[in-house]
Amino acid sequence: MLDVCLLGTGGMMPLPYRALTSLMVRYNGSTIMIDCGEATQIAVRKSGWSFKPIDLLLITHFHADHISGLPGLLLTMGNAERREPLIIAGPKGIERVVNSLRVVAPELPFEIKFIELSEKEEDINILGLKIKAFKVNHNITCYGYSIELERKGKFDAEKAKALNIPIKCWNPLQKGNEVTFEGVTYTSDMVMGPDRKGLKVTYCTDSRPTEAIVANAKDSDLFICEGMYGDHENDHKAKDKKHMTMYEAAEMAKEADVKEMWLTHYSPSMVKPQEYEDEVKKIFPRTVIAKDRELKELKFDE
């Protein structure tokens, strides 16, 4: 199970009624945050979620509306008596950028470890999750992220009995371990069925449409994507500033065959994103015009 909270849906600047885009995903007692713009702390407080269990912070790129809230967040985590290391991943240069922001937060009671991304696609296996970082097409280096919770196949008890595998070996075999008992070695593939469909969340902001986004969002349970503009008069702005329209996001969601898409990162000039909902849903019916603190609990298909 994955708990998802889209803290804010705004781009460029926080507004009285719209926080900047940031995402939190909870799994098994740990939390992942993607992006931390100005006033993200306020959005976290309003959501009722906690700063302390954040174990991994993923940064998409180094524009202020995606990273300028970091010094305050680090100080708050320190004041909450956090002692465990924090991992921060982002484009090449992330360590330099974060340390420059830490001029106002020079001493913290926990260590920060960095993962610098430089390839078109990179895997981060952490916290029992598989995270794929993939480059998108913005006017500076920018990454999208897919978070996957894989699910193993079912244990076949009847097969284990037929193979005369001792019951005391069943549990470690279910966990994927190899077991040797009384001179006989048993492997998990002897008793485990094929992997079942897991859970997948893909997050992408600040980009033109790309094949990399479609490929990495493929079959996602939830695709959270920038829809900065809804008015067709702003199509040229999206191209010039390397952002995306709601309709371009919907086309990608359709091609990737995702279960559901949330739009986010709205332009400050777009006061009522819901005005464009009907037109967007003509392209991809399973679209949500997301609001701040949009919540979803993702569960395995039975």
Side-chain angles (χ1 to χ4, degrees):
M1 183 175 71
L2 296 175
D3 290 322
V4 179
C5 180
L6 183 60
L7 296 172
T9 56
M12 297 177 65
M13 66 182 75
L15 298 172
Y17 53 87
R18 187 185 298 156
L20 290 172
T21 300
S22 177
L23 183 74
M24 294 181 85
V25 178
R26 293 193 302 204
Y27 169 66
N28 198 28
S30 293
T31 301
I32 297 171
M33 175 181 278
I34 305 181
D35 282 343
C36 185
E38 180 184 352
T40 294
Q41 288 192 77
I42 296 174
V44 175
R45 290 294 188 198
K46 286 183 176 180
S47 74
W49 286 32
S50 172
F51 305 100
K52 196 170 182 181
I54 297 174
D55 292 307
L56 176 63
L57 178 57
L58 303 170
I59 300 297
T60 57
H61 63 297
F62 301 146
H63 280 159
D65 58 332
H66 294 262
I67 198 170
S68 63
L70 188 55
L73 177 69
L74 295 175
L75 285 170
T76 297
M77 292 171 71
N79 290 333
E81 299 183 354
R82 180 196 179 94
R83 296 294 181 269
E84 301 80 15
L86 170 67
I87 300 172
I88 301 180
K92 187 175 181 180
I94 184 72
E95 183 171 2
R96 172 183 54 80
V97 171
V98 171
N99 285 337
S100 68
L101 292 171
R102 284 189 58 197
V103 170
V104 295
E107 295 185 13
L108 296 170
F110 55 88
E111 178 187 4
I112 299 179
K113 299 179 179 180
F114 294 96
I115 299 175
E116 300 218 344
L117 306 171
S118 58
E119 303 298 325
K120 286 186 177 180
E121 293 190 354
E122 295 194 36
D123 292 324
I124 304 171
N125 294 307
I126 192 171
L127 305 173
L129 299 167
K130 180 181 177 182
I131 299 171
K132 171 68 71 67
F134 54 94
K135 276 187 179 179
V136 295
N137 181 17
H138 194 35
N139 52 25
I140 65 170
T141 301
C142 184
Y143 281 86
Y145 296 98
S146 282
I147 300 172
E148 288 190 68
L149 175 57
E150 296 179 323
R151 191 182 189 194
K152 295 180 180 179
K154 289 185 177 180
F155 177 76
D156 190 335
E158 294 304 316
K159 192 172 183 180
K161 291 176 183 177
L163 292 170
N164 295 315
I165 299 176
I167 291 178
K168 65 169 59 179
C169 299
W170 289 14
N171 185 261
L173 289 173
Q174 289 182 64
K175 295 177 180 178
N177 298 321
E178 182 180 287
V179 182
T180 300
F181 181 76
E182 294 184 349
V184 180
T185 299
Y186 305 100
T187 56
S188 61
D189 61 312
M190 297 170 68
V191 291
M192 299 299 293
D195 289 347
R196 291 170 286 178
K197 185 185 181 306
L199 297 172
K200 182 178 179 183
V201 177
T202 301
Y203 177 94
C204 175
T205 70
D206 293 50
S207 177
R208 295 295 297 145
T210 71
E211 285 301 316
I213 298 173
V214 174
N216 283 282
K218 183 69 176 173
D219 299 326
S220 289
D221 296 274
L222 180 59
F223 176 40
I224 301 171
C225 188
E226 171 186 35
M228 192 158 192
Y229 301 108
D231 193 325
H232 289 291
E233 292 183 358
N234 289 320
D235 287 358
H236 69 284
K237 284 187 179 180
K239 293 177 181 178
D240 292 345
K241 297 180 179 180
K242 292 204 169 181
H243 283 285
M244 207 180 306
T245 69
M246 292 180 162
Y247 316 105
E248 290 170 326
E251 291 287 358
M252 289 197 301
K254 181 180 178 180
E255 187 176 351
D257 194 24
V258 303
K259 277 192 176 180
E260 184 174 83
M261 177 179 71
W262 290 359
L263 289 173
T264 188
H265 202 273
Y266 309 130
S267 167
S269 64
M270 188 159 54
V271 179
K272 295 181 179 180
Q274 291 77 15
E275 291 179 343
Y276 308 101
E277 182 173 10
D278 290 343
E279 190 174 354
V280 175
K281 284 188 171 182
K282 289 178 183 178
I283 302 170
F284 187 71
R286 299 186 298 278
T287 297
V288 173
I289 309 297
K291 299 177 181 178
D292 283 17
R293 301 184 299 284
E294 195 87 42
L295 291 166
K296 192 173 185 69
E297 184 182 83
L298 297 176
K299 295 182 178 180
F300 291 126
D301 291 335
E302 294 301 330

